Amino acid sequence: EVGLQAGLTALKTPLCVGADKGQCSVDCPVCCDAGRTLAAGLPFSHQAHSKLICRISGEQMDEHNRPMALPNGSVYSSNGLKAMAAASEGGETVTCMRTGESYHVSELRSVFVL
């Protein structure tokens, strides 16, 4: 049990236990209901480096999978948006996962994180 708690503590962030489950990573064991229960009394991990995770694909965004912004400010990975556009009628529309608004791929903008 101690080993499991140590592992959950290493992964637990404030987003894991936030009210909005939509912000959680699909690959995070702490974000699932069982993990939230087990990690309830554990401290948060210290994260020295942030990772941007796409809510569409669950993949990490980096120089090979660039973050892209929709006109409403929501950010998703280029791979996730390409897959969404390919699955859309006409192959050129993406839909915001938070608001449900649809945009043409020409409206997407690259995001640069320093």
Side-chain angles (χ1 to χ4, degrees), residues 58-106:
E59 297 174 349
Q60 183 174 340
M61 293 182 257
D62 56 20
E63 67 274 8
H64 305 293
N65 187 20
R66 294 184 331 270
M68 302 292 288
L70 302 180
N72 68 359
S74 294
V75 176
Y76 302 101
S77 71
S78 57
N79 290 348
L81 290 169
K82 285 177 190 174
M84 182 184 282
S88 72
E89 190 173 319
E92 296 184 344
T93 304
V94 295
T95 303
C96 179
M97 301 293 288
R98 294 193 91 137
T99 65
E101 297 172 280
S102 294
Y103 301 99
H104 190 270
V105 292
S106 64

Side-chain angles (χ1 to χ4, degrees), residues 6-14 16 30 42-49:
L8 291 174
T9 298
L11 298 172
K12 183 179 175 183
T13 67
C16 294
V30 183
L42 300 175
F44 295 118
S45 66
H46 173 72
Q47 301 287 331
H49 300 283

